[in-house]
Amino acid sequence: MRRRWLLILVAGKNLSTLSDSDLRMVVLRATLALVGLSVGIGYIFIDHATGIQGNEPFYAVTIACSLITLLFNRAGYHKLASILFVSILNFIVFIFSAGDTYRSGVYIFFVVTSLTSFALFGYKDRTLALFFPIVSLALFLYSFWGEHSFIPKRPFTEEYLQINFTSNFIAAGVTSIAIVYFLINVNFQSEKKVIDKNEQLAKANAELDRFVYSASHDLRAPLSSILGLVNLYELSGNEAERETIINLIRERVNKMDNFINEILDYSRNARLSLRQENISSRELIHEIIEGLRYSKNFEKIRIDPGADDHVLCTDPERLKIVLNNLIANSLKYFDPDKTQSYIKIDVQKNKDMWSITVEDNGIGIPTELQGRIFEMFYRAHDRSEGSGLGLYIVKEVIARMHGSITVNSELNRGSKFTVTFPHPKPDPVS
Ligand code: ADP
């Protein structure tokens, strides 16, 4: 990323440790130091061309201090860099203000130095932010009213003075506007961040509400049913009937167990950071299929795990949650009317993305419902025995992996789910 390369150049490598507004300040400080550097070098040439002498040491100090500011800024000594830069800015404006006639208007740059102080120190270092404008004011008064014969006076023609005043006014005006723009931009960005965070929180709250409501309902249903079955068991004297009841109880307990596991997957995905590890696609798929061996319908379906083995660099836990849910769904929603039911898994490596497909010839999903199957607790078939959470979790997990999922399905023909996610890359800098 070009912008990232530039950022590292001016701000050093510890970008991720900086807050958004600190990063903006670092960039502003570097930009201003580069302007200081160019002004110092530029004036050496201007004075040389116009025959003015004696200011070279001041320019040398400006150049040196701008360079040190850049280095401090890069090394992370931000406060020190700001102190140095605002000091040298005050110093150079004072030298010109005291050396030139007041009619050149250089003193207007004291306004710029004061604004720069606010922009560079910010509210966090407000004592320094307020201290430097006081220094600017004092230097202005001294340059205007004081005695400073040690500074060489610059000779001006009337015409040069007019041009000088105009250019000083324009330069100071533009710089002031740029700094005020920077300040309102920082303010706007942090306000926007708060609004975005609030929207996210409101969405998370609404989801949590729905989740608690549906989850408690889904947990209570099998519990009530188990309680009823226990009563039946106590009343029944028939051994065969008692065994049927025990099997029904086991089924409901398994259902609750699956549901709780899904909730745990959801929570793990939200809590744990993304991992990157090399894994064999063949081994992962094999492990998932083995884990599903005792699921209903397993024996009736031919599973093709794909011929190729790829080394995937990804988050193994998360990918396992995704594939496990998709393959388990293909088993659940198989079509008993087909002569040979199948599930095909295929892993493909594209330019900078992995793509994994899980295809079945099961009962399929009606077109009008396909857009809703990734919603929380949504079930598209009456015969669904699950909670309706699986694909919602899959979508959330894939989003954490910076990937996406699509479905292609036809009623009574089958479904094909395609998961794509990128090869690993560093987290982008905002
Ligand atoms: P569930 O726990 O009900 O399986 P999911 O979130 O995993 O919930 O899936 C949502 C709905 O999408 C399911 O209820 C089912 O109707 C439909 N579905 C998911 N996968 C398939 C598939 N492979 N074939 C047919 N229907 C599917």
Side-chain angles (χ1 to χ4, degrees):
M1 216 159 108
R2 213 172 72 228
R3 202 173 141 234
R4 189 181 160 81
W5 178 85
L6 254 173
L7 275 177
I8 290 177
L9 187 75
V10 296
K13 280 194 176 152
N14 299 327
L15 292 178
S16 49
T17 58
L18 296 174
S19 71
D20 261 13
S21 59
D22 281 346
L23 187 63
R24 276 171 219 280
M25 280 193 190
V26 165
V27 173
L28 178 75
R29 202 178 293 114
T31 313
L32 290 174
L34 283 172
V35 171
L37 196 68
S38 330
V39 167
I41 296 170
Y43 265 98
I44 291 178
F45 287 105
I46 292 172
D47 279 13
H48 183 73
T50 49
I52 296 171
Q53 283 179 349
N55 283 328
E56 291 80 1
F58 304 134
Y59 299 145
V61 173
T62 310
I63 292 169
C65 288
S66 300
L67 276 174
I68 298 171
T69 303
L70 276 174
L71 291 178
F72 277 175
N73 195 37
R74 219 177 164 272
Y77 301 118
H78 299 145
K79 201 192 273 190
L80 213 58
S82 296
I83 292 174
L84 182 68
F85 188 73
V86 181
S87 305
I88 186 60
L89 204 61
N90 270 303
F91 168 74
I92 202 75
V93 174
F94 167 73
I95 294 297
F96 276 94
S97 191
D100 288 3
T101 154
Y102 74 93
R103 288 168 62 209
S104 74
V106 180
Y107 51 81
I108 203 172
F109 279 102
F110 280 122
V111 176
V112 176
T113 60
S114 305
L115 285 175
T116 307
S117 167
F118 285 118
L120 289 189
F121 291 112
Y123 191 75
K124 243 195 268 173
D125 286 319
R126 51 193 174 282
T127 318
L128 282 168
L130 285 167
F131 169 73
F132 278 100
I134 295 171
V135 171
S136 300
L137 187 65
L139 287 175
F140 162 68
L141 290 174
Y142 178 49
S143 67
F144 198 74
W145 295 100
E147 178 51 46
H148 26 68
S149 49
F150 57 95
I151 298 168
K153 301 282 177 274
R154 294 148 65 87
F156 285 112
T157 63
E158 195 57 32
E159 191 197 358
Y160 185 87
L161 208 58
Q162 280 178 355
I163 294 173
N164 212 240
F165 179 81
T166 317
S167 62
N168 282 341
F169 190 87
I170 292 173
V174 169
T175 324
S176 303
I177 289 169
I179 293 173
V180 172
Y181 181 82
F182 167 83
L183 288 172
I184 58 171
N185 184 266
V186 167
N187 193 33
F188 171 77
Q189 296 297 342
S190 36
E191 222 172 79
K192 195 167 156 271
K193 234 180 171 174
V194 172
I195 292 171
D196 287 352
K197 270 262 142 51
N198 270 346
E199 274 171 10
Q200 276 173 20
L201 275 179
K203 187 179 159 245
N205 255 343
E207 273 189 0
L208 192 68
D209 262 0
R210 229 151 57 79
F211 181 80
V212 171
Y213 175 79
S214 304
S216 43
H217 177 266
D218 274 41
L219 283 173
R220 281 201 66 201
L223 270 184
S224 318
S225 161
I226 289 170
L227 216 58
L229 287 167
V230 169
N231 286 338
L232 269 182
Y233 182 88
E234 280 171 349
L235 293 174
S236 168
N238 182 320
E239 240 351 272
E241 198 178 88
R242 281 189 154 200
E243 198 173 326
T244 316
I245 295 172
I246 290 289
N247 282 335
L248 287 173
I249 291 178
R250 185 173 294 119
E251 215 173 82
R252 275 147 190 79
V253 169
N254 281 337
K255 193 174 167 180
M256 277 182 84
D257 189 45
N258 281 342
F259 185 52
I260 290 167
N261 277 332
E262 281 181 330
I263 296 177
L264 284 176
D265 281 346
Y266 176 76
S267 142
R268 259 186 233 120
N269 179 52
R271 244 180 332 109
L272 302 180
S273 52
L274 204 61
R275 273 173 50 204
Q276 302 287 2
E277 235 175 66
N278 280 340
I279 47 163
S280 143
S281 63
R282 182 182 288 159
E283 276 173 28
L284 180 76
I285 292 166
H286 179 76
E287 193 186 320
I288 293 169
I289 294 173
E290 277 311 299
L292 292 168
R293 179 162 294 281
Y294 301 103
S295 312
K296 229 160 125 185
N297 313 327
F298 187 88
E299 299 302 336
K300 299 177 194 147
I301 300 167
R302 185 167 52 79
I303 302 184
D304 172 5
D308 302 332
D309 187 16
H310 296 273
V311 178
L312 307 174
C313 182
T314 185
D315 188 320
E317 283 304 316
R318 285 192 166 84
L319 188 59
K320 194 171 169 187
I321 293 175
V322 170
L323 295 183
N324 193 57
N325 267 292
L326 294 181
I327 300 171
N329 275 352
S330 292
L331 286 172
K332 270 197 277 182
Y333 303 107
F334 96 109
D335 185 352
D337 295 338
K338 302 267 161 60
T339 29
Q340 175 64 71
S341 291
Y342 67 79
I343 301 174
K344 277 188 204 154
I345 303 151
D346 186 42
V347 182
Q348 293 283 338
K349 185 179 185 178
N350 300 322
K351 207 169 129 249
D352 47 10
M353 299 292 267
W354 286 108
S355 126
I356 304 183
T357 52
V358 176
E359 187 180 352
D360 62 54
N361 62 344
I363 55 175
I365 307 163
T367 320
E368 65 279 13
L369 303 184
Q370 285 171 24
R372 302 201 57 190
I373 56 173
F374 297 101
E375 287 176 18
M376 195 190 265
F377 296 112
Y378 189 80
R379 301 172 177 110
H381 298 100
D382 294 337
R383 77 169 237 199
S384 165
E385 291 164 13
S387 60
L389 252 191
L391 288 181
Y392 170 76
I393 293 170
V394 165
K395 188 193 70 183
E396 293 289 305
V397 171
I398 279 290
R400 272 305 288 273
M401 294 166 76
H402 307 295
S404 60
I405 180 164
T406 55
V407 59
N408 207 319
S409 183
E410 208 177 309
L411 197 60
N412 301 324
R413 295 288 295 268
S415 311
K416 184 174 175 181
F417 285 85
T418 307
V419 171
T420 37
F421 55 95
H423 300 168
K425 60 177 176 210
D427 270 349
V429 176
S430 56

PDB file of all heavy atoms in Angstrom, residues 356-378:
ATOM      1  N   ILE A 356     -13.429 -22.304  -1.269  1.00  0.00           N
ATOM      2  CA  ILE A 356     -13.806 -23.680  -0.914  1.00  0.00           C
ATOM      3  C   ILE A 356     -15.302 -23.836  -1.186  1.00  0.00           C
ATOM      4  O   ILE A 356     -16.108 -23.000  -0.742  1.00  0.00           O
ATOM      5  CB  ILE A 356     -13.502 -23.979   0.570  1.00  0.00           C
ATOM      6  CG1 ILE A 356     -12.021 -23.700   0.869  1.00  0.00           C
ATOM      7  CG2 ILE A 356     -13.853 -25.425   0.915  1.00  0.00           C
ATOM      8  CD1 ILE A 356     -11.586 -24.021   2.286  1.00  0.00           C
ATOM      9  N   THR A 357     -15.660 -24.889  -1.922  1.00  0.00           N
ATOM     10  CA  THR A 357     -17.087 -25.111  -2.180  1.00  0.00           C
ATOM     11  C   THR A 357     -17.546 -26.409  -1.525  1.00  0.00           C
ATOM     12  O   THR A 357     -16.799 -27.385  -1.483  1.00  0.00           O
ATOM     13  CB  THR A 357     -17.395 -25.197  -3.692  1.00  0.00           C
ATOM     14  OG1 THR A 357     -16.528 -26.158  -4.252  1.00  0.00           O
ATOM     15  CG2 THR A 357     -17.222 -23.889  -4.399  1.00  0.00           C
ATOM     16  N   VAL A 358     -18.768 -26.357  -0.986  1.00  0.00           N
ATOM     17  CA  VAL A 358     -19.408 -27.565  -0.442  1.00  0.00           C
ATOM     18  C   VAL A 358     -20.714 -27.711  -1.219  1.00  0.00           C
ATOM     19  O   VAL A 358     -21.593 -26.847  -1.143  1.00  0.00           O
ATOM     20  CB  VAL A 358     -19.678 -27.421   1.070  1.00  0.00           C
ATOM     21  CG1 VAL A 358     -20.423 -28.649   1.590  1.00  0.00           C
ATOM     22  CG2 VAL A 358     -18.387 -27.215   1.838  1.00  0.00           C
ATOM     23  N   GLU A 359     -20.790 -28.772  -2.019  1.00  0.00           N
ATOM     24  CA  GLU A 359     -21.936 -28.934  -2.917  1.00  0.00           C
ATOM     25  C   GLU A 359     -22.675 -30.224  -2.571  1.00  0.00           C
ATOM     26  O   GLU A 359     -22.032 -31.247  -2.278  1.00  0.00           O
ATOM     27  CB  GLU A 359     -21.396 -29.010  -4.349  1.00  0.00           C
ATOM     28  CG  GLU A 359     -22.466 -29.012  -5.379  1.00  0.00           C
ATOM     29  CD  GLU A 359     -21.883 -29.088  -6.797  1.00  0.00           C
ATOM     30  OE1 GLU A 359     -20.651 -28.981  -6.956  1.00  0.00           O
ATOM     31  OE2 GLU A 359     -22.681 -29.281  -7.723  1.00  0.00           O
ATOM     32  N   ASP A 360     -24.017 -30.176  -2.586  1.00  0.00           N
ATOM     33  CA  ASP A 360     -24.774 -31.413  -2.330  1.00  0.00           C
ATOM     34  C   ASP A 360     -25.932 -31.516  -3.313  1.00  0.00           C
ATOM     35  O   ASP A 360     -26.260 -30.544  -3.993  1.00  0.00           O
ATOM     36  CB  ASP A 360     -25.280 -31.438  -0.874  1.00  0.00           C
ATOM     37  CG  ASP A 360     -26.234 -30.313  -0.559  1.00  0.00           C
ATOM     38  OD1 ASP A 360     -27.234 -30.154  -1.272  1.00  0.00           O
ATOM     39  OD2 ASP A 360     -25.976 -29.562   0.415  1.00  0.00           O
ATOM     40  N   ASN A 361     -26.509 -32.695  -3.406  1.00  0.00           N
ATOM     41  CA  ASN A 361     -27.718 -32.852  -4.238  1.00  0.00           C
ATOM     42  C   ASN A 361     -28.914 -33.120  -3.308  1.00  0.00           C
ATOM     43  O   ASN A 361     -29.727 -33.982  -3.548  1.00  0.00           O
ATOM     44  CB  ASN A 361     -27.551 -33.957  -5.291  1.00  0.00           C
ATOM     45  CG  ASN A 361     -27.334 -35.321  -4.657  1.00  0.00           C
ATOM     46  OD1 ASN A 361     -27.016 -35.410  -3.470  1.00  0.00           O
ATOM     47  ND2 ASN A 361     -27.509 -36.392  -5.418  1.00  0.00           N
ATOM     48  N   GLY A 362     -28.974 -32.321  -2.238  1.00  0.00           N
ATOM     49  CA  GLY A 362     -30.035 -32.466  -1.240  1.00  0.00           C
ATOM     50  C   GLY A 362     -31.325 -31.793  -1.662  1.00  0.00           C
ATOM     51  O   GLY A 362     -31.577 -31.589  -2.856  1.00  0.00           O
ATOM     52  N   ILE A 363     -32.113 -31.387  -0.672  1.00  0.00           N
ATOM     53  CA  ILE A 363     -33.472 -30.879  -0.970  1.00  0.00           C
ATOM     54  C   ILE A 363     -33.456 -29.455  -1.547  1.00  0.00           C
ATOM     55  O   ILE A 363     -34.461 -28.992  -2.074  1.00  0.00           O
ATOM     56  CB  ILE A 363     -34.367 -30.919   0.286  1.00  0.00           C
ATOM     57  CG1 ILE A 363     -33.716 -30.159   1.446  1.00  0.00           C
ATOM     58  CG2 ILE A 363     -34.677 -32.346   0.688  1.00  0.00           C
ATOM     59  CD1 ILE A 363     -34.607 -30.051   2.679  1.00  0.00           C
ATOM     60  N   GLY A 364     -32.322 -28.758  -1.455  1.00  0.00           N
ATOM     61  CA  GLY A 364     -32.236 -27.406  -2.008  1.00  0.00           C
ATOM     62  C   GLY A 364     -33.008 -26.395  -1.180  1.00  0.00           C
ATOM     63  O   GLY A 364     -33.730 -26.750  -0.238  1.00  0.00           O
ATOM     64  N   ILE A 365     -32.856 -25.116  -1.551  1.00  0.00           N
ATOM     65  CA  ILE A 365     -33.517 -24.039  -0.784  1.00  0.00           C
ATOM     66  C   ILE A 365     -34.339 -23.203  -1.767  1.00  0.00           C
ATOM     67  O   ILE A 365     -33.816 -22.802  -2.822  1.00  0.00           O
ATOM     68  CB  ILE A 365     -32.463 -23.137  -0.096  1.00  0.00           C
ATOM     69  CG1 ILE A 365     -31.502 -24.001   0.737  1.00  0.00           C
ATOM     70  CG2 ILE A 365     -33.096 -22.061   0.764  1.00  0.00           C
ATOM     71  CD1 ILE A 365     -30.215 -23.305   1.112  1.00  0.00           C
ATOM     72  N   PRO A 366     -35.619 -22.921  -1.469  1.00  0.00           N
ATOM     73  CA  PRO A 366     -36.413 -22.082  -2.379  1.00  0.00           C
ATOM     74  C   PRO A 366     -35.711 -20.735  -2.615  1.00  0.00           C
ATOM     75  O   PRO A 366     -35.190 -20.137  -1.657  1.00  0.00           O
ATOM     76  CB  PRO A 366     -37.730 -21.876  -1.620  1.00  0.00           C
ATOM     77  CG  PRO A 366     -37.764 -22.941  -0.577  1.00  0.00           C
ATOM     78  CD  PRO A 366     -36.365 -23.336  -0.290  1.00  0.00           C
ATOM     79  N   THR A 367     -35.715 -20.289  -3.876  1.00  0.00           N
ATOM     80  CA  THR A 367     -34.980 -19.062  -4.247  1.00  0.00           C
ATOM     81  C   THR A 367     -35.337 -17.890  -3.336  1.00  0.00           C
ATOM     82  O   THR A 367     -34.453 -17.155  -2.890  1.00  0.00           O
ATOM     83  CB  THR A 367     -35.312 -18.684  -5.715  1.00  0.00           C
ATOM     84  OG1 THR A 367     -35.365 -19.882  -6.465  1.00  0.00           O
ATOM     85  CG2 THR A 367     -34.291 -17.740  -6.301  1.00  0.00           C
ATOM     86  N   GLU A 368     -36.636 -17.711  -3.048  1.00  0.00           N
ATOM     87  CA  GLU A 368     -37.055 -16.523  -2.290  1.00  0.00           C
ATOM     88  C   GLU A 368     -36.566 -16.551  -0.842  1.00  0.00           C
ATOM     89  O   GLU A 368     -36.570 -15.526  -0.152  1.00  0.00           O
ATOM     90  CB  GLU A 368     -38.586 -16.332  -2.367  1.00  0.00           C
ATOM     91  CG  GLU A 368     -39.434 -17.417  -1.712  1.00  0.00           C
ATOM     92  CD  GLU A 368     -39.624 -18.672  -2.571  1.00  0.00           C
ATOM     93  OE1 GLU A 368     -38.917 -18.830  -3.585  1.00  0.00           O
ATOM     94  OE2 GLU A 368     -40.475 -19.505  -2.191  1.00  0.00           O
ATOM     95  N   LEU A 369     -36.108 -17.734  -0.365  1.00  0.00           N
ATOM     96  CA  LEU A 369     -35.650 -17.808   1.037  1.00  0.00           C
ATOM     97  C   LEU A 369     -34.118 -17.755   1.155  1.00  0.00           C
ATOM     98  O   LEU A 369     -33.577 -17.637   2.246  1.00  0.00           O
ATOM     99  CB  LEU A 369     -36.162 -19.091   1.704  1.00  0.00           C
ATOM    100  CG  LEU A 369     -37.675 -19.287   1.701  1.00  0.00           C
ATOM    101  CD1 LEU A 369     -38.050 -20.545   2.466  1.00  0.00           C
ATOM    102  CD2 LEU A 369     -38.376 -18.082   2.346  1.00  0.00           C
ATOM    103  N   GLN A 370     -33.449 -17.850  -0.014  1.00  0.00           N
ATOM    104  CA  GLN A 370     -31.981 -17.946   0.041  1.00  0.00           C
ATOM    105  C   GLN A 370     -31.326 -16.716   0.682  1.00  0.00           C
ATOM    106  O   GLN A 370     -30.292 -16.824   1.326  1.00  0.00           O
ATOM    107  CB  GLN A 370     -31.412 -18.178  -1.358  1.00  0.00           C
ATOM    108  CG  GLN A 370     -31.653 -19.611  -1.810  1.00  0.00           C
ATOM    109  CD  GLN A 370     -31.303 -19.844  -3.266  1.00  0.00           C
ATOM    110  OE1 GLN A 370     -30.504 -19.123  -3.852  1.00  0.00           O
ATOM    111  NE2 GLN A 370     -31.906 -20.859  -3.852  1.00  0.00           N
ATOM    112  N   GLY A 371     -31.948 -15.553   0.501  1.00  0.00           N
ATOM    113  CA  GLY A 371     -31.378 -14.318   1.059  1.00  0.00           C
ATOM    114  C   GLY A 371     -31.469 -14.274   2.582  1.00  0.00           C
ATOM    115  O   GLY A 371     -30.824 -13.445   3.213  1.00  0.00           O
ATOM    116  N   ARG A 372     -32.284 -15.146   3.182  1.00  0.00           N
ATOM    117  CA  ARG A 372     -32.525 -15.039   4.624  1.00  0.00           C
ATOM    118  C   ARG A 372     -31.809 -16.108   5.453  1.00  0.00           C
ATOM    119  O   ARG A 372     -31.794 -16.025   6.687  1.00  0.00           O
ATOM    120  CB  ARG A 372     -34.035 -15.126   4.897  1.00  0.00           C
ATOM    121  CG  ARG A 372     -34.807 -14.026   4.162  1.00  0.00           C
ATOM    122  CD  ARG A 372     -36.131 -13.802   4.805  1.00  0.00           C
ATOM    123  NE  ARG A 372     -36.000 -13.453   6.229  1.00  0.00           N
ATOM    124  CZ  ARG A 372     -37.025 -13.396   7.058  1.00  0.00           C
ATOM    125  NH1 ARG A 372     -38.225 -13.657   6.633  1.00  0.00           N
ATOM    126  NH2 ARG A 372     -36.820 -13.088   8.326  1.00  0.00           N
ATOM    127  N   ILE A 373     -31.249 -17.126   4.767  1.00  0.00           N
ATOM    128  CA  ILE A 373     -30.727 -18.269   5.537  1.00  0.00           C
ATOM    129  C   ILE A 373     -29.536 -17.920   6.430  1.00  0.00           C
ATOM    130  O   ILE A 373     -29.202 -18.661   7.332  1.00  0.00           O
ATOM    131  CB  ILE A 373     -30.350 -19.468   4.634  1.00  0.00           C
ATOM    132  CG1 ILE A 373     -29.363 -19.032   3.571  1.00  0.00           C
ATOM    133  CG2 ILE A 373     -31.576 -20.122   4.040  1.00  0.00           C
ATOM    134  CD1 ILE A 373     -28.824 -20.196   2.759  1.00  0.00           C
ATOM    135  N   PHE A 374     -28.882 -16.757   6.178  1.00  0.00           N
ATOM    136  CA  PHE A 374     -27.738 -16.372   7.024  1.00  0.00           C
ATOM    137  C   PHE A 374     -28.186 -15.529   8.222  1.00  0.00           C
ATOM    138  O   PHE A 374     -27.364 -15.054   8.989  1.00  0.00           O
ATOM    139  CB  PHE A 374     -26.698 -15.609   6.196  1.00  0.00           C
ATOM    140  CG  PHE A 374     -26.103 -16.451   5.091  1.00  0.00           C
ATOM    141  CD1 PHE A 374     -26.532 -16.326   3.783  1.00  0.00           C
ATOM    142  CD2 PHE A 374     -25.131 -17.403   5.380  1.00  0.00           C
ATOM    143  CE1 PHE A 374     -25.997 -17.122   2.778  1.00  0.00           C
ATOM    144  CE2 PHE A 374     -24.591 -18.198   4.385  1.00  0.00           C
ATOM    145  CZ  PHE A 374     -25.033 -18.069   3.080  1.00  0.00           C
ATOM    146  N   GLU A 375     -29.503 -15.316   8.343  1.00  0.00           N
ATOM    147  CA  GLU A 375     -29.999 -14.533   9.487  1.00  0.00           C
ATOM    148  C   GLU A 375     -30.004 -15.403  10.746  1.00  0.00           C
ATOM    149  O   GLU A 375     -30.116 -16.630  10.671  1.00  0.00           O
ATOM    150  CB  GLU A 375     -31.438 -14.066   9.220  1.00  0.00           C
ATOM    151  CG  GLU A 375     -31.501 -12.968   8.197  1.00  0.00           C
ATOM    152  CD  GLU A 375     -32.942 -12.593   7.870  1.00  0.00           C
ATOM    153  OE1 GLU A 375     -33.857 -12.921   8.655  1.00  0.00           O
ATOM    154  OE2 GLU A 375     -33.141 -11.982   6.812  1.00  0.00           O
ATOM    155  N   MET A 376     -29.931 -14.704  11.899  1.00  0.00           N
ATOM    156  CA  MET A 376     -29.925 -15.419  13.176  1.00  0.00           C
ATOM    157  C   MET A 376     -31.252 -16.174  13.371  1.00  0.00           C
ATOM    158  O   MET A 376     -32.323 -15.598  13.191  1.00  0.00           O
ATOM    159  CB  MET A 376     -29.745 -14.375  14.283  1.00  0.00           C
ATOM    160  CG  MET A 376     -29.365 -14.932  15.612  1.00  0.00           C
ATOM    161  SD  MET A 376     -29.479 -13.633  16.855  1.00  0.00           S
ATOM    162  CE  MET A 376     -27.838 -13.057  16.930  1.00  0.00           C
ATOM    163  N   PHE A 377     -31.191 -17.438  13.720  1.00  0.00           N
ATOM    164  CA  PHE A 377     -32.345 -18.298  14.029  1.00  0.00           C
ATOM    165  C   PHE A 377     -33.306 -18.499  12.860  1.00  0.00           C
ATOM    166  O   PHE A 377     -34.468 -18.798  13.069  1.00  0.00           O
ATOM    167  CB  PHE A 377     -33.134 -17.756  15.240  1.00  0.00           C
ATOM    168  CG  PHE A 377     -32.340 -17.775  16.508  1.00  0.00           C
ATOM    169  CD1 PHE A 377     -31.942 -16.589  17.109  1.00  0.00           C
ATOM    170  CD2 PHE A 377     -31.955 -18.967  17.108  1.00  0.00           C
ATOM    171  CE1 PHE A 377     -31.189 -16.599  18.270  1.00  0.00           C
ATOM    172  CE2 PHE A 377     -31.210 -18.978  18.262  1.00  0.00           C
ATOM    173  CZ  PHE A 377     -30.823 -17.796  18.850  1.00  0.00           C
ATOM    174  N   TYR A 378     -32.812 -18.313  11.616  1.00  0.00           N
ATOM    175  CA  TYR A 378     -33.712 -18.503  10.478  1.00  0.00           C
ATOM    176  C   TYR A 378     -33.648 -19.940   9.970  1.00  0.00           C
ATOM    177  O   TYR A 378     -32.588 -20.473   9.697  1.00  0.00           O
ATOM    178  CB  TYR A 378     -33.369 -17.528   9.344  1.00  0.00           C
ATOM    179  CG  TYR A 378     -34.428 -17.565   8.278  1.00  0.00           C
ATOM    180  CD1 TYR A 378     -35.620 -16.869   8.453  1.00  0.00           C
ATOM    181  CD2 TYR A 378     -34.278 -18.352   7.145  1.00  0.00           C
ATOM    182  CE1 TYR A 378     -36.638 -16.949   7.515  1.00  0.00           C
ATOM    183  CE2 TYR A 378     -35.286 -18.433   6.192  1.00  0.00           C
ATOM    184  CZ  TYR A 378     -36.457 -17.727   6.391  1.00  0.00           C
ATOM    185  OH  TYR A 378     -37.454 -17.816   5.456  1.00  0.00           O
TER     186      TYR A 378
END
